[in-house]
């Protein structure tokens, strides 16, 4: 398994590449790069922790102890560099006593802070996921995307955890939300603009997730490519599919 630091570096570089390729996602990716640099620096600090607690609480009032020193720093960064609605929310949160975890800004902030810690813990634990479940075998969160990785003649399907970035193998024809396995009820949609990304939907429970096909683009960084393909989310929403798990940016 690659060390978390290298993974952050690759994500930052990939976001830079995709920014030039997909103007519709350029602003989002530019902001993502800023966040990913902050997360990479957090991850560097975690390397020196002696007995990191296995605590992955996403509740904004009960964040894991090792990430708490970063709350103020992140709020300052958002105040200065985030898109205006989020910057405004960050200004208010600096004064707020209690944050509502259901609001988009606290949700975003909690995930930005806990992701690098979860990825640090997962890398230490080296989970050997054999799960056939739809939740991450390490931290229990839902997947943010599927990843098709080359194997033999075709590709194997993995699910990618939205929090700790663990990947676990998952059957190709199986809805991770409701367990549907009838091929006719599991439509796949693709757009010319994104030859290596497709929407995997389920007509039974009306959920979808995006699959990043590494057999078509071996340079893809699934979390980042998933973000860049925001037009596919709009497309799915128009057809009234709901996303299995929103990405970091809440899309
Ligand atoms: Zn996880
Ligand atoms: Zn389903």
């Amino acid at each position: 398994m690659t060390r978390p630091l290298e993974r952050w570096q690759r994500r930052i570089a990939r976001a830079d590449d995709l920014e030039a390729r997909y103007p519709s996602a350029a602003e989002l990716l530019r902001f993502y790069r800023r966040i990913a640099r902050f997360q990479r620096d957090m991850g560097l600090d975690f390397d020196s922790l002696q007995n990191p607690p296995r605590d992955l609480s996403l509740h904004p009032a009960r964040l894991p102890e090792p990430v708490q020193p970063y709350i103020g720093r992140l709020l300052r960064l958002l105040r200065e560099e985030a898109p205006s609605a989020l910057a405004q929310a960050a200004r208010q949160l600096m004064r707020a006593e209690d944050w509502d975890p259901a609001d988009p800004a606290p949700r975003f902030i909690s995930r930005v802070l806990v992701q690098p810690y979860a990825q640090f813990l997962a890398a230490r634990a080296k989970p050997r996921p054999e799960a056939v479940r739809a939740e991450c075998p390490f931290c229990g969160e839902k997947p943010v995307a599927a990843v098709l990785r080359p194997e033999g003649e075709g590709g194997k399907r993995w699910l990618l955890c939205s929090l700790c970035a663990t990947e676990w193998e998952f059957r190709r024809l199986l809805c991770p939300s409701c367990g549907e396995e009838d091929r006719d009820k599991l439509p796949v949609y693709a757009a010319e603009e994104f030859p290596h990304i497709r929407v995997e939907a389920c007509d039974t429970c009306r959920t979808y997730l995006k699959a990043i096909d590494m057999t078509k683009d071996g340079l893809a960084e699934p979390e980042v490519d998933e973000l860049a393909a925001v037009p596919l989310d709009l497309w799915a929403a128009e057809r009234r599919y709901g996303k299995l798990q929103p990405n970091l940016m809440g899309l």
Side-chain angles (χ1 to χ4, degrees), residues 175 177-180 202 204-207:
C175 169
S177 179
C178 74
E180 180 60 76
C202 171
T204 303
C205 67
R206 306 297 298 176
T207 56

Side-chain angles (χ1 to χ4, degrees), residues 86-101:
L86 186 56
Q88 173 69 21
R91 258 188 293 276
Q92 282 165 0
L93 289 171
M94 291 186 104
R95 297 187 297 265
E97 294 279 293
D98 51 351
W99 299 1
D100 184 347

Side-chain angles (χ1 to χ4, degrees), residues 136 139 161 164:
C136 171
C139 77
C161 177
C164 76

